[in-house]
Amino acid sequence: MIIVIDGPAGSGKSSTARQVANLLRLQYLDSGALYRAVTVAWLKSGKEMSFFEKLNHLNLTFRYENGLFRVWIDSIEVTNQIRTEAISSIVSVVASRPDVRALVNQIMHKAISESVCIADGRDLGTAVFPEADLKIYMDASPTVRAKRRTRELIESGDEADYQDVLDKILQRDELDSGRDADPLRMAEDAILVKTDKLTFDQQVELICQLIQEKQKQQ
Ligand code: CDP
C-alpha cells in the first residue's frame, strides 16, 4: 500500500508523514531529502554541468530509522547538510531538471517494497505514484507556512527573519509550481487537507484516520 502526501514548503507534510509513519509503523520515504542530496553532490562537484551527464554514477543511499530519514553520498552521511540554507536556496533549481527527476523517481520506485509506505513530496500523486492507494494534498497560506518555518529555524538554533523566510517560500512555490517537469499540483483524486487552523497533533490524527479507513476498505 502506498500513501502519498504532496504539498508546498512549510505545509507540514514531512513532519506529519514522519509522525504518522512512527505511530502506524510504516516505512517512510522523503523525496525532498533525495533532491536535497543530489544538490549536495552537485555543489561538491563544484557546480560542474558535466555532473548531470554522470547522474547514473551517483552513489546515493538512504535509510529510515528511529524517526530519522538518513542520507549518504558515497558512504559520507549528508543528513544534516541537506537541511542547510545553502541547499534549501538552490534545491528547487536542481529539482526542476528532468534528468534529476528521472533519477530520483527511479530510486523511489526501487525503494517501495511490499510493506506499507508513506512518502511525501511535490509530484508523488501526479507523476511518481499515480497509482497510490491514498493521496493527500496538504496546504496552508504562505503566511502561516512562513511563520511555522521561522519558528522551526529559531527552535533549531538558527537565525531567521520572518519576511526573509516568507520571500523564500514564495520563490520556491513559484519555482515548484511553474516548472515544466512535473510541477507541484494537487492530483484530481487527492484529499485536500488545509492545515492553517489545525495543530500538529490534529493533522497527524486526521491522516492516521484516513489511512486506517483506507486499510479497512482493502
Ligand atoms: O521540506 P520542504 O517542503 O521545505 O522541502 P523538501 O520536501 O525537502 O523539498 C525540497 C525541494 O525539492 C522542493 O522545494 C522542491 O523543489 C523539490 N522537490 C520536488 O521537486 N519534488 C518532490 N517530489 C520533492 C521535492
Side-chain angles (χ1 to χ4, degrees):
M1 182 172 179
I2 306 174
I3 301 130
V4 296
I5 307 185
D6 287 313
S11 55
K13 58 189 186 319
S14 303
S15 46
T16 305
R18 261 200 318 272
Q19 179 68 349
V20 169
N22 292 343
L23 291 172
L24 302 184
R25 301 197 176 282
L26 314 178
Q27 278 303 314
Y28 170 57
L29 188 55
D30 180 348
S31 65
L34 303 180
Y35 285 104
R36 285 169 181 272
V38 175
T39 307
V40 168
W42 181 54
L43 282 192
K44 275 194 186 145
S45 79
K47 293 194 182 175
E48 282 292 330
M49 293 320 279
S50 60
F51 166 85
F52 297 107
E53 287 158 27
K54 295 175 264 173
L55 272 180
N56 285 336
H57 298 283
L58 187 65
N59 183 9
L60 198 167
T61 49
F62 55 90
R63 194 163 62 229
Y64 179 61
E65 58 183 14
N66 303 325
L68 187 65
F69 192 85
R70 301 176 66 190
V71 195
W72 290 262
I73 294 167
D74 290 332
S75 74
I76 297 171
E77 182 159 12
V78 294
T79 307
N80 293 330
Q81 203 187 339
I82 61 171
R83 303 288 160 200
T84 56
E85 189 46 42
I87 300 304
S88 298
S89 61
I90 54 167
V91 56
S92 293
V93 176
V94 174
S96 68
R97 295 183 57 99
D99 48 4
V100 172
R101 305 202 71 77
L103 172 81
V104 170
N105 292 356
Q106 189 191 10
I107 294 174
M108 283 195 284
H109 274 278
K110 264 198 214 150
I112 293 285
S113 59
E114 291 297 295
S115 55
V116 183
C117 179
I118 183 162
D120 80 284
R122 299 288 189 285
D123 60 339
L124 304 190
T126 52
V128 188
F129 300 115
E131 74 287 9
D133 302 274
L134 179 62
K135 299 180 187 177
I136 294 160
Y137 189 87
M138 284 180 83
D139 205 356
S141 70
T143 50
V144 168
R145 292 189 279 126
K147 273 185 205 149
R148 283 185 192 150
R149 257 303 133 85
T150 310
R151 198 179 26 191
E152 261 170 36
L153 287 166
I154 291 172
E155 278 171 6
S156 62
D158 290 325
E159 281 183 17
D161 169 63
Y162 167 76
Q163 191 56 47
D164 186 43
V165 173
L166 176 61
D167 291 346
K168 285 189 178 135
I169 278 192
L170 291 172
Q171 232 173 45
R172 203 127 66 92
D173 281 359
E174 203 173 301
L175 276 166
D176 290 345
S177 310
R179 69 178 175 224
D180 291 333
D182 303 332
L184 166 70
R185 74 183 163 79
M186 182 170 144
E188 275 172 19
D189 50 349
I191 298 170
L192 175 64
V193 175
K194 294 275 272 173
T195 64
D196 300 72
K197 295 193 177 121
L198 295 181
T199 64
F200 179 70
D201 288 345
Q202 286 171 331
Q203 272 160 225
V204 170
E205 199 184 321
L206 177 62
I207 293 185
C208 284
Q209 274 170 9
L210 291 171
I211 295 173
Q212 284 163 335
E213 275 165 27
K214 196 66 182 179
Q215 281 176 323
K216 271 188 223 146
Q217 289 165 15
Q218 292 207 329

